[in-house]
Amino acid sequence: MHIDLTGKTALVSASTAGIGFAIATGLARAGARTIINGRSEASVVKSLDALREALPGADVRGIAADLSTAAGVAKLVEAMPEADILVNNAGIYGPEPFFDVTDETWERFFQTNVMSGVRLSRHYLRGMLARNWGRVVFISSESALNIPGDMIHYGMTKTAQLAIARGLAKLGAGTQVTVNSVLPGPTMSEGVKRMLEGAAEKEGREIDEVAVDFVREHRGSSILRRPASVEEVANLVVYVCSPQASATTGAALRVDGGVVDSIV
Ligand code: NAD
């Protein structure tokens, strides 16, 4: 299968690092004009340089905007009014005991992980429907289904994304606009590396070893028995964004290494 996104414009939120950067790279490699986003100008410039070095000649642009606020989303939309492909990847995470999680933290998680995708979809989906072609993908998580006891505030946002994606898919009924969610399992992104760095340093071990132990201890149902790479997650997302994925909509697609212990 050859995926060709020539002529399509793709926006990947929060894509200067991690899974988002791998998705942006995959979409740009498939020929899409690709817009990356991060909070600071410096991180956007650094990631654009890396992208251009990896894919000489690729049509890539970057927009700095903090998507945890309505003003940040408005800034992005103003700089980039149309998109054929929207990947709602922005998401923060981190364990914290339920009894210590403040209202402010609940609100911050909701605004960043849920409202960024709501606001971006409200803007870009309209144009996709008018042009009768589009792809919206929400990067949720296996934690949407297996709510972690130490990240209930995160799990709540990831389940909310599934509901929104399923509902938005119905707005595209009978059109060539699809909306789906993708559920990664533990994935070796910059954010996860940061989370595990402390333990690796303390124990004097390689981070990859610590990550395999993390999967074994905290995601015991994993069939893969290791974290995925960001490219393994991006491959599924690029497919979902492709013309070939035209009959897949309203779906929650897992790239979780089998962590969610269910057949369907
Ligand atoms: P990461 O922390 O490695 O990278 C996040 C990127 O988002 C960075 O470029 C950062 O600058 C940017 N960012 C953060 N807040 C932002 C904001 N307010 N506005 C704009 N940009 C912002 O993250 P990741 O691990 O690659 O996670 C990406 C997505 O995948 C998230 O939605 C996360 O919930 C989901 N996910 C990750 C894993 C995993 O194990 N890594 C598993 C399941 C789901």
Side-chain angles (χ1 to χ4, degrees):
M1 186 186 304
H2 175 66
I3 295 178
D4 183 5
L5 295 171
T6 308
K8 306 292 185 202
T9 298
L11 167 64
V12 185
S13 70
S15 48
T16 52
I19 293 172
F21 184 73
I23 295 169
T25 306
L27 294 172
R29 186 177 290 120
R33 174 176 182 250
T34 303
I35 284 75
I36 63 165
N37 151 258
R39 278 162 298 182
S40 73
E41 206 60 63
S43 69
V44 168
V45 168
K46 193 168 158 225
S47 304
L48 272 182
D49 287 348
L51 206 47
R52 287 184 179 130
E53 198 182 321
L55 302 172
D59 188 354
V60 290
R61 255 187 80 191
I63 299 167
D66 181 342
L67 303 183
S68 66
T69 66
V73 173
K75 181 182 171 200
L76 176 61
V77 160
E78 200 188 332
M80 167 72 205
E82 300 286 357
D84 305 300
I85 296 169
L86 167 65
V87 181
N88 287 311
N89 170 72
I92 50 173
Y93 48 85
E96 197 174 346
F98 173 75
F99 295 107
D100 296 342
V101 180
T102 61
D103 286 5
E104 189 278 330
T105 299
W106 277 93
E107 188 59 33
R108 188 161 48 84
F109 271 68
F110 186 72
Q111 289 294 326
T112 310
N113 297 9
V114 181
M115 287 311 295
S116 64
V118 168
R119 291 178 177 126
L120 290 170
S121 304
R122 191 162 52 206
H123 178 81
Y124 292 109
L125 186 58
R126 224 187 265 277
M128 293 179 199
L129 291 170
R131 293 187 297 277
N132 193 27
W133 199 93
R135 300 281 183 263
V136 179
V137 182
F138 284 79
I139 306 303
S140 174
S141 168
E142 52 82 20
S143 297
L145 306 176
N146 285 341
I147 308 294
D150 58 354
M151 286 204 285
I152 298 170
H153 52 304
Y154 172 71
M156 174 279 292
T157 64
K158 294 287 140 180
T159 315
Q161 287 182 306
L162 300 187
I164 296 160
R166 176 73 192 166
L168 291 182
K170 294 177 181 174
L171 304 187
T175 74
Q176 296 186 65
V177 177
T178 69
V179 185
N180 293 286
S181 41
V182 164
L183 287 67
T187 305
M188 280 301 263
S189 65
E190 274 79 348
V192 164
K193 283 183 195 158
R194 253 193 324 273
M195 222 167 77
L196 300 176
E197 240 163 35
E201 227 166 81
K202 209 164 104 192
E203 296 161 22
R205 299 164 65 210
E206 292 298 322
I207 195 149
D208 288 341
E209 265 174 52
V210 175
V212 168
D213 282 357
F214 172 86
V215 171
R216 201 166 298 151
E217 282 163 32
H218 297 275
R219 299 291 185 273
S221 55
S222 168
I223 299 171
L224 194 63
R225 306 234 136 225
R226 63 166 174 83
S229 69
V230 290
E231 289 79 15
E232 286 174 310
V233 173
N235 288 340
L236 177 60
V237 180
V238 172
Y239 167 71
V240 177
C241 293
S242 73
Q244 284 93 335
S246 47
T248 299
T249 191
L253 304 163
R254 289 156 43 191
V255 54
D256 67 341
V259 168
V260 176
D261 194 359
S262 83
I263 296 170
V264 288

